[in-house]
Amino acid sequence: GQNIDQPTEMTATEGAIVQINCTYQTSGFNGLFWYQQHAGEAPTFLSYNVLDGLEEKGRFSSFLSRSKGYSYLLLKELQMKDSASYLCAVLDSNYQLIWGAGTKLIIKP
Amino acid sequence: DADVTQTPRNRITKTGKRIMLECSQTKGHDRMYWYRQDPGLGLQLIYYSFDVKDINKGEISDGYSVSRQAQAKFSLSLESAIPNQTALYFCATSDFTDSTDTQYFGPGTRLTVL
């Protein structure tokens, strides 16, 4: 079956750096997405990786290793507004998005 | 103005009632999706449509039906609502011409079935 694993919850301190991991086992691979979702709101697109390596976008970076079935989202200079759930999703061989359950990130002052 | 809108935003109904959730988009995207989200679970795909004449079942389509009235409109119906359909429902769109096929979400409809 298809599976995406991410930690359920993480806690970090304002101003610090946090890395959220995602491992996947899917039928084929056509890209990996990270979305941010504040409680009760819609998911919003953060990043897309299809090639191995690091993609940097401001305070957020996303890394992909296709051979390891692994990605991480790196958040730097954490702000209180970064408290949210972070969803990992993989586009499989049928171009269906397979979603992880999300990682709830709690930022403490 | 929001690119993807959903109505209603909140709805409380009773078991056995027929409910329709509506989604409209001004992004000009061909592809539209309906998801449900339950606490602690990932997004689950209910139905998707790649154009007006194309409707496909997702992983949890039982108890739901959809209608793609136009490129910009995609409605989800619960023919006879049951309590375990209480969830947050999202509509999403994506662009066929975008190589990443990134999905963009509406604000969601919170549905409670009593």
Side-chain angles (χ1 to χ4, degrees), chain A residues 33 35 37 41-42 48 96 99, chain B residues 37 45 48 100 102-103 106:
Chain A
F33 294 83
Y35 280 78
Q37 185 179 25
E41 297 183 8
Y48 169 80
Q96 295 292 307
W99 293 85
Chain B
Q37 187 176 41
L45 184 63
Y48 62 101
T100 69
T102 300
Q103 294 186 17

Side-chain angles (χ1 to χ4, degrees), chain A residues 38-84:
Chain A
H38 287 99
E41 297 183 8
T44 55
F45 170 73
L46 287 178
S47 68
Y48 169 80
N49 293 69
V50 67
L51 300 177
D52 287 354
L54 187 68
E55 294 276 347
E56 298 187 73
K57 194 183 292 186
R59 293 189 299 115
F60 292 8
S61 302
S62 55
F63 172 84
L64 175 67
S65 170
R66 288 173 298 173
S67 63
K68 295 182 179 178
Y70 167 70
S71 173
Y72 67 73
L73 181 69
L74 191 71
L75 291 74
K76 302 177 184 177
E77 302 170 10
L78 286 170
Q79 302 175 10
M80 297 303 292
K81 68 178 181 179
D82 297 331
S83 292

Side-chain angles (χ1 to χ4, degrees), chain B residues 3-68:
Chain B
D3 295 322
V4 185
T5 57
Q6 293 184 233
T7 56
R9 294 294 312 279
N10 289 281
R11 181 72 184 266
I12 299 174
T13 190
K14 295 182 179 180
T15 297
K17 294 291 188 181
R18 184 178 188 274
I19 297 296
M20 179 180 285
L21 309 183
E22 299 189 350
C23 176
S24 294
Q25 52 112 349
T26 59
K27 298 180 79 69
H29 289 174
D30 289 317
R31 299 181 171 185
M32 298 186 74
Y33 311 80
W34 275 105
Y35 289 95
R36 67 175 280 174
Q37 187 176 41
D38 298 283
L41 298 180
L43 290 161
Q44 296 177 280
L45 184 63
I46 306 172
Y47 272 94
Y48 62 101
S49 169
F50 282 177
D51 65 40
V52 175
K53 298 179 180 179
D54 176 74
I55 302 288
N56 302 282
K57 292 183 177 180
E59 57 190 296
I60 56 160
S61 59
D62 288 350
Y64 302 94
S65 62
V66 291
S67 172
R68 184 82 185 265

